[in-house]
Each structure stands twice: as structure tokens, then as C-alpha cells.
Amino acid sequence: MSENLIGYIDNLGNIIDTQSAGENPDAKAIEYDNSAESLEIVRHSTAHLMAQAITELYSNAKFFVGPTVDEGFYYDFRVDEKIGEEDLKKIEKKMKELIKKKYKIEKYEITKAEALEKFTADDLKQAVLTRIPDEVVSIYKQGDFEDLCQGPHVPALRFLHNFKLTRVAGAYLGGDEKAEMLTRIYGIAFADKESLKAHLKMLEEAKKRDHRKIGAEMELFMFDEESGAGLPFWMPKGSRLRHKLETILHKAHRKRGYEPVRGPEILKADMWRTSGHYACYGENMYLTTIDEQEYGVKPMNCIGHIQIFKQTGKSYRDLPVKYYEYGVVHRHEKSGALHGLLRVREFTQDDAHIFCAPNQIASEVIEIVEFVDSVMKLFGFNYSMEVATKPEKAIGEDAVWELATQGLKDALDENNLPYTIDEGGGAFYGPKIDVKITDALGRKWQCGTIQVDFNLPERFEVEYVDEDNTRKQPVMIHRAILGSFERFIAILTEHYAGEFPLFLAPTQVIFVPISDVHVSYAKELQAQLMEIEIDCEIYDKNDSLNKRVRNAEKQRVPYVVIVGDEEVKNRTVALRNRRTKEQYNLSFDEFMVELTQQLNEGKI
């Protein structure tokens, strides 16, 4: 087989050799490169190589599943010994030894009944088989190791040189918190050494930028296991940063005609039954009983905005009506999925709902996209869009879904805006546009969303009076620009490595007086800066000047200002600009002008 081809894959997912490829008109060549299609095969094959290595090192190991994921691949397995990060090098070494044995990877098929008999002593394989609906299953074999798998795989282990095992975690069997905890090992693989090295370099940088690490160093937020997992506490500096972000968004919303509203955080369960959340999203909700009546803590803000819209009569002249809310929501995330601010159980959405006529959908969607564009440009993000269609678990008729989906596509097509399709990725009540941003390290994050919904207005009998004096049902557009403040702040923290622009920085200026006699001047300057909403601190502790400057620098503050005799006498400031890495002197008035200019950069 050619070294620059993985092989030929037929429509059943088999890898076949070059001689027989011509016999199958459906076969296609897969280049051995870093395309998504190729990496899917390389990484899945590497997962099996890792499992084989683990089997040779730990004879009692039993395996559950080993899929590819966005960050590479993993395998869940059970083993008697405790495996830690220090064991990964040993497993990698064994993987490299196995590659040298030049095992081919071969596929064969048996019936599901035969597979159940073959793996009768392996309860994890039995668990996998119960999840497979097909009556015929495929098994991939390399040397003495074999495992259930749909495939496809590379033809031989010799294609799998460029890999790295990245971490060890725990994972509940099948994602069920009531089931046993298995060991999970993550890894990454590429088609060439250079791509692997570049990725590992990015991972090292990502560790330095981890928002949990930076958040602790800068005292932005905290978690307290005694109080509950996945529930963030915002400390003073983090609250200042968050308030700045909220204020920027508030001004941008008001400028675009949105009205602020606020709904309750708990509603009767019957409301959630009407909306469809109870049936389609109930497993993610927190439910309670009050006076023998079931209530649900809101996982979304839609119903509150619907009730506010219905409170007063609306006509076509009022449309579109735009409500926005920084709505606190609660969702039951599994413990294993929680990850700093990126995945929490309580978070605040920058949520909005637009009630409009059907012929206003396209213009409203484009206005939202322009809003998204202005926010992403402010923070230096590139982004892409994805139209997500009807999921398996959904409410509403197919015809309504097709109409809503086409409305989103038409709005983007008419304005020549590129997008991809995510089949089955929509919300249960309507299709959506997902906004995926790319950060400074090239990582993609799902943030904003635009959803067109004909279903909830119908279920809640939402109406307006049209120009012919008949009652019509409006379309409801759900949208969030950031997604949630928690997740977006986590992404921003890693994107900037904590070096926030001045308009967003939790502490914008730190004054370091050289001695006690200079403190009063520092306080005078601080008071004046607070008048223009610049958050300042004074480092006047009984430490050396150098130590106080170092501590100020560690806070990643945009400006460290040294004040001494010269500065007091001339009403000047000696600046250390952390962003430009420059040191210079300005009059205090000139400094005020510089700060004001940078504050004005934070406008949308």
C-alpha cells in the first residue's frame, strides 16, 4: 500500500487494499493527511493501539468504548491497579513497541448473538453490545488484541507514529452517575510529527492560560465544594470584570432597540409542560414541590419573556418587540462534565427574545448577525456559523421546522454569509445558527446562538393584531451573543491570558507610592480616576518597592504607576504600560486622556 494513502474505504466502512479497490465502485481514497476524515481514522486506530498496550501492561484490563472526540480520542476501561499521569509514558512506550511488531489491523464480522457468546465473561463488552442495534457486529484485530468497533481503521499499526497520551480521568460507565467509575485515558494523534509538535506546544500554552489557574491568581472567582459543585462564586475583582462586560452589552442592546426585562427563576411545572421543556429537557432541570404543587427552576428564560409579551395587547405596528435579560438559569450538568466556568450548574445568559412577523425574520436574523460580528471584533475573535437542524427529540410539525430552517438559511444566503450544516443539532423547539469563535490559540468554542421558533408562540397562544385586524401568531427568535457570561469570561481569560484590555480589566491601574509620604498623592489620583470609572488600587504595604512592583505586575494590570517626589512636585505619573511593555512619564491630565481613549475602545 502507498505510504501516502490510508487506503480505500467502501460504503460499509471497510478498509480494503489497492488491488480490490477497483472492484468496488463505491470505494474512495482517503489521503493520509490531517483532514478531518483522515484524523478520525488515525485517532480511532490509535485508541485501539493504546488499548492493546494497556492489555499487555495490565492483564486484567477490560474495555468499554474508545471514541474520537474534538480533542483527540479516549478509551474507558476497568483495571485493578490505579493508573495516574505518571503511567502514561509507560503506556506510550509499550505502544511504540507494538508498532515495531508490524501488526496488520484486520476486520471480521460475526452475529450479535455470537459476539454475546464470545464476550460472555466480559461485562463491559456485554454492556457495549446491548447498545448496538445491528444484528451483525464488526471486530477489529491486531496481533492478539481485538475489540468491537464500527471502524474504519488504518490497515496497519505502522501508520500510527505521531501520538501523545495527554491525561487520565474518571468516567462513569455510559455517563450514568449511578454506575461504576471507570478509568479514562485521553490522547491525541496526527498524520505527521510537525502537527503533533505544534499541537503539544499549543497544549502547553493552554495550560498557562487555563482560566481556572489565572482566575485564582487574579482572584476573579472561586468554587467551594462544601457549597456545591459547579456553582461559581464571583469575587470582587471578578465581579468588576463581569460588570464591565455587562455594561458594554447593556449599552449595545439599548442602542439596538432592546428593552430590559426580568422573569422569575422558578415557575410551576405546568408551564414547563406546555413549553415542552418538561418532556424534552426535564432530565436537565431541577424540580421541587411547593404547597403540593410541582415547580421547576428555569433552565432557560423563554417562558418569562412570553408571559411579559402577552401582558399587554400588541399590534403589527409594535413588531418587532425585543426583550433582553441577564437571566440566571440552572441546569443539571453531570459531575464529570463540570469544568471551571466553562461548564457549570448555575450561569447567566445574555438572553434575548424577539417577537416579529414572519416577513421580518430575515432582517432580524441579519441584524443579530451584525450584532454578533461587532462583539467578536471588539474582542479579536474570528468566528464561523453553523445551521443546526431538527434533532431527534423535538416538538412541532416537520413542515414548521422546514419553514424555520429555510428562514435561517435564506437570511444567510441573501447576505452571502458562509455557514455549514449541523444535522440534528437544533434546539428541541426550533432550528438555530450556532456561532463558533476561534481564540488566540486556534481553539474553537461554541458561544452565541440564534434560534427561530414557531412552536412556543403556538403552545402559549401568543398573538398580535395584524393590519387586516385579524389575530396572528408572531415568530419568536431566541438569541444570545455571548452564550453565558461565565463561559465567555472563561474563554476571554484564556484568549487574553488574563491580559484584558483596559476597558475590561478588573483592576486598571495600580499605584505604587515609593514611601509613605507619597500615599496621599496616590489617593488623590485614585479618587479622580474613580470619577471616570477607572478601578484602581494602591500598593502601600510595608514591603520593598521592588516587591510591590512585582506583585502589581502579577495582577496583569494594564498600568502600574510609580509615584515619588518628582511626581508629587510636578503632578505627573511614572507609568509602566504592561500591554506595550513601555515605561514613560506623563502629566496626570495626559494620563487621563490616554485612559479615556482606551475606555472608549470598549463600545459596540
Side-chain angles (χ1 to χ4, degrees), residues 578-590:
R578 185 174 171 86
R579 303 298 179 259
T580 63
K581 310 300 182 189
E582 296 175 306
Q583 297 184 33
Y584 50 95
N585 290 72
L586 290 178
S587 72
F588 183 65
D589 289 341
E590 290 171 330

Side-chain angles (χ1 to χ4, degrees), residues 172 175-178 228-231 277 280-287 296-300 329-339 343-347:
Y172 291 109
D176 182 356
E177 291 182 347
K178 296 177 182 175
L231 303 172
H277 286 85
C280 297
Y281 204 75
E283 68 273 13
N284 299 108
M285 292 179 63
Y286 294 106
L287 302 168
V297 179
K298 71 174 180 181
M300 300 177 192
V329 298
H330 294 80
R331 297 181 185 176
H332 178 58
E333 298 286 356
K334 292 177 179 176
S335 298
L338 298 175
H339 182 83
R343 184 71 68 143
V344 288
R345 288 176 173 158
E346 179 192 271
F347 56 93

Side-chain angles (χ1 to χ4, degrees), residues 338-513:
L338 298 175
H339 182 83
L341 293 178
L342 290 168
R343 184 71 68 143
V344 288
R345 288 176 173 158
E346 179 192 271
F347 56 93
T348 304
Q349 294 178 307
D350 64 315
D351 211 357
H353 294 90
I354 300 169
F355 298 86
C356 65
N359 64 0
Q360 295 173 320
I361 293 174
S363 60
E364 291 304 314
V365 168
I366 291 307
E367 186 180 272
I368 296 167
V369 171
E370 289 171 350
F371 195 171
V372 169
D373 185 68
S374 65
V375 173
M376 297 310 151
K377 282 178 177 172
L378 176 65
F379 298 114
F381 288 122
N382 293 320
Y383 67 93
S384 60
M385 291 182 287
E386 196 171 69
V387 174
T389 62
K390 185 178 181 180
E392 194 172 313
K393 202 171 185 181
I395 59 175
E397 300 297 323
D398 285 346
V400 173
W401 273 84
E402 288 169 14
L403 182 66
T405 305
Q406 196 58 48
L408 288 174
K409 291 179 179 178
D410 288 346
L412 297 176
D413 289 338
E414 288 167 14
N415 290 272
N416 298 314
L417 295 168
Y419 62 90
T420 56
I421 301 293
D422 175 17
E423 293 291 352
F428 71 83
Y429 47 78
K432 59 179 178 169
I433 297 171
D434 282 332
V435 178
K436 302 200 169 178
I437 66 177
T438 304
D439 70 7
L441 295 181
R443 298 172 300 179
K444 291 188 181 295
W445 304 94
Q446 160 68 54
C447 286
T449 184
I450 308 165
Q451 304 167 2
V452 174
D453 180 7
F454 288 84
N455 287 305
L456 291 188
E458 180 182 11
R459 285 176 168 239
F460 284 96
E461 299 177 351
V462 183
E463 295 179 334
Y464 68 96
V465 178
D466 206 355
E467 55 186 326
D468 60 2
N469 215 33
T470 60
R471 304 194 76 80
K472 299 282 179 63
Q473 176 188 303
V475 179
M476 188 176 179
I477 301 177
H478 309 243
R479 58 106 287 213
I481 305 294
L482 308 183
S484 80
F485 285 98
E486 285 76 8
R487 181 175 174 81
F488 197 74
I489 287 172
I491 294 167
L492 278 179
T493 302
E494 299 193 3
H495 179 61
Y496 289 123
E499 305 280 355
F500 298 104
L502 181 122
F503 63 79
L504 198 61
T507 304
Q508 291 146 317
V509 177
I510 290 178
F511 291 102
V512 183

Side-chain angles (χ1 to χ4, degrees), residues 558-571:
Y559 288 101
V560 176
V561 178
I562 313 297
V563 291
D565 290 338
E566 282 296 312
E567 288 72 33
V568 173
K569 177 183 175 183
N570 301 315
R571 291 197 60 77

